[in-house]
Amino acid sequence: MKFIVDNWMLIAIVLSSGAMLAWPLVRGANAGSLTAQGAVHLINRQRAVVVDVRTPEEFATGHATGSKNIPLEQLEAKLATVVKNKSVPVLLMCASGGRAQRAVAAAKKLGYEQAQAIAGGLKSWKDANLPVEKA
């Protein structure tokens, strides 16, 4: 007991740093998001489908090669027509990753359990020197 009383500050630091390390696991940080390289791996190995959730105008300025465009507002209505097999990975992409995270929630609600957002969106895709095409 004397040890705890004498070293209460060190014990508090250890507990708080442990809690800070564990917090992302508890909260589920980066759940459903992956790197551009991880996306390429899923595309090549599991025939993942890349869905760009940006507007058609944004999509026309440049998009990942082979990606399909379904604006976020139309995702729930059109995803089933573009990706018929709900067991294949669906990789959602936008400009920087924010809209794609919202799209993951919508896709999972529709039954696409392997839906994931590409972290950093098209920006990280370009930064990884992956192919981009213009419409």
Side-chain angles (χ1 to χ4, degrees):
M1 189 63 155
K2 182 175 178 359
F3 177 81
I4 294 172
V5 172
D6 291 343
N7 296 299
W8 68 270
M9 192 176 295
L10 291 175
I11 293 170
I13 291 171
V14 168
L15 292 175
S16 64
S17 65
M20 285 187 270
L21 288 172
W23 180 250
L25 296 173
V26 171
R27 197 188 72 196
N30 294 328
S33 67
L34 72 159
T35 64
Q37 293 81 5
V40 170
H41 179 76
L42 287 175
I43 292 166
N44 292 335
R45 305 272 169 134
Q46 296 182 24
R47 298 182 184 222
V49 178
V50 179
V51 176
D52 193 317
V53 296
R54 298 177 299 152
T55 64
E57 295 79 23
E58 290 175 298
F59 185 77
T61 63
H63 55 273
T65 303
S67 63
K68 314 281 188 224
N69 182 227
I70 306 174
L72 181 60
E73 302 81 36
Q74 302 170 7
L75 189 70
E76 289 187 28
K78 294 187 175 181
L79 186 59
T81 59
V82 173
V83 185
K84 292 177 177 45
N85 186 352
K86 292 186 178 184
S87 65
V88 300
V90 176
L91 309 179
L92 298 149
M93 176 187 287
C94 63
S96 62
R99 284 179 278 182
Q101 287 293 346
R102 286 183 285 169
V104 167
K108 288 192 175 189
K109 188 171 97 175
L110 293 171
Y112 294 89
E113 289 303 316
Q114 293 193 53
Q116 297 182 62
I118 298 175
L122 187 63
K123 182 182 180 328
S124 70
W125 188 268
K126 287 178 179 177
D127 290 346
N129 292 321
L130 294 170
V132 175
E133 62 185 9
K134 292 185 180 185

